Amino acid sequence: MFNIFEKEQQCEDVNVFNDETSLNDMLNRKLRTHFDGKIVRKDLTKSIKEGANVPIYVLEFLLGQHCSSDDPDIISEGVSSVKKILANNFVRPDEAQKVLSNLRERGSYTVIDRITAKLNIKQDRYEAEFSNLGIRDILLEPEYVSKYDRLLCGGIWCIVQLEYEYLEEDRKANPITVRKLTPIQMPHIELSEIKEARKEFTNDEWLTIMLRSTGMEAEKFTEREKWLLLARMIPLVENNYNLCELGPRSTGKSHIYKEISPNSILVSGGQTTVANLFYNMSSKTVGLVGMWDCVAFDEVAGITFKDKDGIQIMKDYMASGSFARGKEEKAATASMVFVGNVNQSVDVLLKTSHLFEPFPDAMSHDTAFFDRMHCYVPGWEIPKYRPDFFTNEYAFITDYLSEFMREMRKEQFGDAADKYFKFGSNLNQRDVIAVRKTISGFTKLMYPNGEYTKDDMAQIITIALELRRRVKEQLKKIGGMEFYDVNFSYVDNDTFEEHYVPIPEQGGGKLIPEGMGNPGNIYTVSRGKSGMVGVFRLETQMLPGNGKFERTGLGTDREAKEATNTALNFLKANGTSISGSISTTTKDYIINYQDLNGIGITKYLTLPSLIAICSAALSKPTLSSLAVLGDISISGTVIKVEELANVLQVCLDSGAKKVLLPITSATDLGTVPAELMGAFSIIFYNTPQEAVFKALGVD
């Protein structure tokens, strides 16, 4: 029986393999039909890239020209040709003088280098500059510039035949001339070609092609992971798009910005200057944001500005796409990307802090800075890269992909969803702008021809709202009630049905658990020593003794210790009014205080400590999912809750379903949003005794 099953399983595996193979073959045939010369087998890139320090987009262009075939012999011959071209013609900066010497001796020489052209107005001629070769002011025929206009826009890699002729009678003339120039990057791209060809591919096929073009094998990822990987590409197609991605190491966060596009730059190390990033006042030149489509910061924890106003200027730029330096205001279109590592699990971060915590101290509590983030990609959901995650199939050469993305920056799809949906009431103007930008980015990548269905757009608007809501949730944790409106939704224009969009990580791991706890276990929410509102847990033990009271977890905090002493003294004076079975002379009490959010211990511990001792003494747990709010003085006066709305918001986020609230705070309920009020069962108390009774569920 086992053997039969094993054979059947083997047959199924073969069938699956054959299906995948045939689907890949079909997709490859489609690519060769519609994008011949613009595709490459990615395993060839990997095999040569490992031994050649040449930009990947140059390498893939050469492979696309020489290896665009299924014939193994043609591919093998093409690979050999590419290797030979690179070995003989690629100019290494340290060998520049050697190449120039060969040029002089031979009279002609062919090089591969990055060429930038500029117009010399005084002499009315175009001149070329060679990046690695280190020569400039080389006469360039106008026909090359008009044919390959990218020479004027940052330069392109080319194969150039150079000639050397020194004329004794004209010593001022440059002996080096360009005989022939052939681009080995895409000199230009026809968007109409891509838009027309897009119609021939299904949504799944196109998504697969886009991911394979970045080197990833789409079949190794889930549908959700594919879309998160696609989100990384939005800054390359969308102007002034601000993206953040934090996650574990080895998940490829910076890969796409460093290797895939020649139009993006990865700032490693973190330290930078305003002059380098924005504008140099001395040289009157625009910095990185004016020279690149995307500026990515690796390892956000290390971001520092030498200038005091660096972060302020960055905030200004992220909000408006412009910045003021000196007497002028400058505009740029570069997107900003922030990638880095989280050193704790997401559950721990959510319980103890917020998801922006890895940012440096100058930023980590700046709500104005984070509010400018259009998107937060959950990097912890993307698996760590393994060798089999990289594709061996055909896909676009990276230069073709990057030029497609660059051209798409000129188009706008921000209103793509308006035909079918409108946004819910919880989105403010900044939220709407962020979501529209994300929708536009996804649409450009997936539907560049503007042809999509209602279901297609529903998928995009859902993930766009989620990526922005993740930012808003963290702002709520940092800034409190100013950012309470996080229940993002969209409304169907036809059915008027409202769809709410959750974020996965908010689902579980609540600090205040459901169900009955142990006697003496209390949860209270109040302001900690750092000024932030957080959750504190009290765990109590009662032992036979002579009335000792021990406290752990308070450290050296004087105010917290005084508050706990007040609780015991109040109990000694008023214990009989609560219960005659509570003894403060024949029992010892030990309470451990835990700061669950890491915000510094609170001083509002008198009432929680009183309830904790009574609960332990009576062996009666508190109500399920209860948060104790408020405090009392030594005389028993009830002290109302400060910033009630903020405190209730933290209660909700922490999992509380019931709140014990002093009646003195009832006047502040008008400051609390109705939907927040409706999330709790509110239990009022007038006296400390009543607070104890109601917390323990005693009528």
Side-chain angles (χ1 to χ4, degrees), residues 71-317:
D71 191 325
D73 293 333
I74 294 175
I75 290 173
S76 178
E77 188 179 332
V79 169
S80 298
S81 300
V82 171
K83 287 181 177 178
K84 190 175 178 181
I85 290 169
L86 291 174
N88 295 337
N89 305 112
F90 183 72
V91 179
R92 288 175 43 179
D94 59 335
E95 294 183 348
Q97 290 302 315
K98 179 183 173 183
V99 171
L100 289 173
S101 176
N102 287 333
L103 172 61
R104 179 181 180 274
E105 296 303 321
R106 299 181 188 180
S108 65
Y109 199 85
T110 302
V111 299
I112 295 177
D113 203 348
R114 186 179 182 90
I115 315 298
T116 308
K118 65 177 182 181
L119 175 63
N120 186 330
I121 298 175
K122 290 182 179 179
Q123 298 187 28
D124 189 31
R125 68 177 200 173
Y126 291 102
E127 295 173 348
E129 181 180 345
F130 289 66
S131 178
N132 286 357
L133 199 55
I135 58 175
R136 59 176 63 193
D137 303 333
I138 308 299
L139 179 64
L140 195 61
E141 295 296 327
E143 63 183 84
Y144 292 124
V145 176
S146 59
K147 195 173 180 181
Y148 313 125
D149 55 1
R150 277 185 63 189
L151 287 165
L152 296 165
C153 307
I156 53 176
W157 286 81
C158 305
I159 295 180
V160 187
Q161 293 180 21
L162 296 175
E163 287 188 341
Y164 189 99
E165 186 179 2
Y166 182 78
L167 300 173
E168 189 70 34
E169 60 269 19
D170 190 5
R171 295 186 178 185
K172 291 184 179 180
N174 198 321
I176 301 174
T177 55
V178 174
R179 183 181 173 188
K180 187 180 179 183
L181 182 147
T182 308
I184 52 174
Q185 282 182 256
M186 304 300 302
H188 60 273
I189 185 170
E190 292 292 338
L191 264 181
S192 57
E193 177 187 81
I194 296 180
K195 291 179 177 181
E196 193 61 33
R198 171 65 180 90
K199 300 174 183 177
E200 305 300 322
F201 297 86
T202 65
N203 291 350
D204 287 342
E205 287 175 343
W206 190 257
L207 182 56
T208 297
I209 292 167
M210 295 305 288
L211 295 184
R212 283 178 178 176
S213 299
T214 66
M216 299 292 103
E217 178 47 67
E219 303 303 321
K220 299 293 181 182
F221 299 94
T222 65
E223 187 69 14
R224 177 168 169 81
E225 288 165 357
K226 290 178 187 177
W227 280 88
L228 294 179
L229 290 171
L230 193 69
R232 290 175 173 176
M233 301 166 69
I234 295 177
L236 298 170
V237 296
E238 196 67 25
N239 293 324
N240 301 110
Y241 189 78
N242 309 317
L243 176 144
C244 170
E245 181 181 353
L246 303 179
R249 293 164 178 80
S250 304
T251 54
K253 295 184 291 294
S254 59
H255 168 74
I256 193 165
Y257 311 112
K258 187 175 176 65
E259 295 287 345
I260 301 305
S261 176
N263 306 316
S264 68
I265 186 169
L266 186 70
V267 180
S268 302
Q271 192 171 46
T272 186
T273 63
V274 172
N276 179 51
L277 192 59
F278 296 106
Y279 189 77
N280 191 319
M281 297 283 287
S282 311
S283 63
K284 307 290 184 188
T285 54
V286 178
L288 297 178
V289 295
M291 297 166 61
W292 301 89
D293 290 348
C294 174
V295 180
F297 292 89
D298 200 7
E299 304 299 340
V300 294
I303 296 176
T304 55
F305 277 94
K306 292 181 180 178
D307 317 77
K308 291 182 180 178
D309 58 347
I311 292 175
Q312 196 57 46
I313 293 173
M314 182 181 276
K315 285 196 291 190
D316 183 20
Y317 175 74

Side-chain angles (χ1 to χ4, degrees), residues 502-576:
I503 52 174
E505 64 270 15
Q506 292 289 114
K510 298 296 187 184
L511 290 176
I512 303 176
E514 290 189 52
M516 303 295 280
N518 296 324
N521 285 11
I522 305 292
Y523 292 89
T524 184
V525 177
S526 56
R527 187 167 298 280
K529 196 157 187 165
S530 67
M532 294 179 65
V533 177
V535 184
F536 303 89
R537 180 169 64 202
L538 285 67
E539 293 183 352
T540 312
Q541 278 193 326
M542 182 180 69
L543 302 169
N546 53 11
K548 289 183 182 175
F549 182 36
E550 291 185 29
R551 299 147 300 182
T552 60
L554 297 180
T556 59
D557 193 290
R558 182 179 58 82
E559 288 184 314
K561 287 181 178 179
E562 286 178 0
T564 58
N565 287 332
T566 301
L568 187 66
N569 292 331
F570 181 89
L571 188 64
K572 287 177 179 178
N574 303 277
T576 53

